[in-house]
Amino acid sequence: MADGNLDKKDAEELLECESIKKTLLLANKKWDRTFNALPDLITIMDTEHRVVKVNQAMADSMGVSPEKAIGKHCYEMVHGTRCPIDTCPHTLLLVDGAQHKAEIQEDNLGGFFLVTVSPIKDEEGKIVGSVHVARDITQRIKMENDLKKALKDKNMLMKEIHHRVKNNLTIMSSLLNLQSRYIEDESARAIFKDSQSRVKTMALIHEKLYRSGNLKLLNMKEYIEELSRDLSNIHLSNHDNVDLVLDLENIMLDVDTAIPVGLIINELLTNSVKHAFPENQKGTINVNFRKEEDGELLLEVKDNGKGLPSNFKIENSDSLGLRLIHSLTDQIHGQIEVDGSQGAHFSIKFRERKKGEKHK
């Protein structure tokens, strides 16, 4: 009876073992199917760089069966070298035990890959190998390279456009200068000279954008300094009695704002030189440009000359230049204040244009 019970117990244990084996075999097959279904290239390696297992995608990329890859050194199989490459993420993992990622180009696998290497540890926390997951990023890299080339081509085109616009404006300025020589009427000649100055002001912006690495933003400190020098050479060469003082902060403006601001400065400086200091009166013209605490930009052009009439209003002025200043201030959504009590003092406040916002 005891032997019969023992036989029965052994039989039950045997059946249980068979059931466990079937369950494990089924689980292993399911794991293999899942492992081989993944599109990423997956390799499991030991600490000696030997392949323990690869999925079907990795085997296909190397042109071998998953079974034939087992036991081979990964650097021989993948890179065709006799030792690990210098940037081998598996080597780095064996040193610090941490996960590593790297973007590599591997022609033997057919392109660019994002490789993630994660440690495999035993029960005691000792590293016994690693799992390599290589994701094909060839198309992404190709798209990035295409975008970089397109951006480079666009920048070259934009530089060429700025260069040509500058050249055309320079030609216009020269033509105005030549034409003015044949005009005997002083007031008509002055109109031509003022137009020439405005054209040169716009040409200077396109020249600076062409020469700089930034095709959208202009350093206003550098621009105003150069613009002031040009205007001084034109208007102050015969006026040793007038000093020009600049106080400028390094502020970057987009081209759509820089052009009207440059024209405003041109008109204000020209107006001061022409009208503020009659009969060689000595004086000073100040140009200030800074950012206020509230974030607004403040442009000031002031002189200590004869001042403005008490009833002066810029919007009602008969002067084309002053009307242009008023219009340009509206264009940049600015507010202008005029004080003519102690010389002419023009203050214009405006905000930097937000990305995507356009001046009307």
Side-chain angles (χ1 to χ4, degrees), residues 79-105:
H79 306 297
T81 59
R82 295 184 178 181
C83 60
I85 61 176
D86 293 338
T87 57
C88 175
H90 182 66
T91 301
L92 299 174
L93 177 145
L94 294 175
V95 172
D96 59 18
Q99 184 185 81
H100 288 271
K101 290 185 178 182
E103 289 188 4
I104 63 168
Q105 179 181 4

Side-chain angles (χ1 to χ4, degrees), residues 216-252:
K216 293 183 178 179
L217 297 176
L218 191 72
N219 185 311
M220 292 304 292
K221 182 177 188 295
E222 296 177 358
Y223 170 66
I224 295 173
E225 287 174 345
E226 189 165 349
L227 175 63
S228 299
R229 283 196 297 270
D230 288 348
L231 291 174
S232 295
N233 292 334
I234 295 171
H235 298 295
L236 295 180
S237 57
N238 297 323
H239 295 268
D240 296 335
N241 55 310
V242 179
D243 294 323
L244 182 60
V245 179
L246 306 179
D247 184 7
L248 311 169
E249 292 184 2
N250 273 307
I251 296 172
M252 305 294 290

Side-chain angles (χ1 to χ4, degrees), residues 169-182:
L169 289 172
T170 302
I171 291 171
M172 288 176 59
S173 177
S174 298
L175 290 173
L176 288 169
N177 183 48
L178 288 171
Q179 188 65 41
S180 66
R181 297 178 184 178
Y182 298 95

Side-chain angles (χ1 to χ4, degrees), residues 202 254-264 323-335 348-351 353 357-360:
M202 292 185 288
D254 67 274
V255 63
D256 290 335
T257 305
I259 288 177
V261 170
L263 288 170
I264 289 170
R323 291 204 306 272
L324 183 59
I325 292 166
H326 184 262
S327 176
L328 291 169
T329 302
D330 284 342
Q331 184 177 326
I332 60 174
H333 306 299
Q335 298 84 40
I348 298 172
K349 280 190 174 185
F350 62 99
R351 289 192 175 274
R353 190 168 66 98
E357 179 186 359
K358 293 184 178 180
H359 293 311
K360 296 180 181 180

Side-chain angles (χ1 to χ4, degrees), residues 176 185-198 274 320:
L176 288 169
D185 183 85
E186 288 295 331
S187 59
R189 185 185 300 163
I191 292 173
F192 267 72
K193 287 290 185 181
D194 288 344
S195 296
Q196 179 192 3
S197 180
R198 290 165 189 145
K274 284 184 174 181
L320 173 62

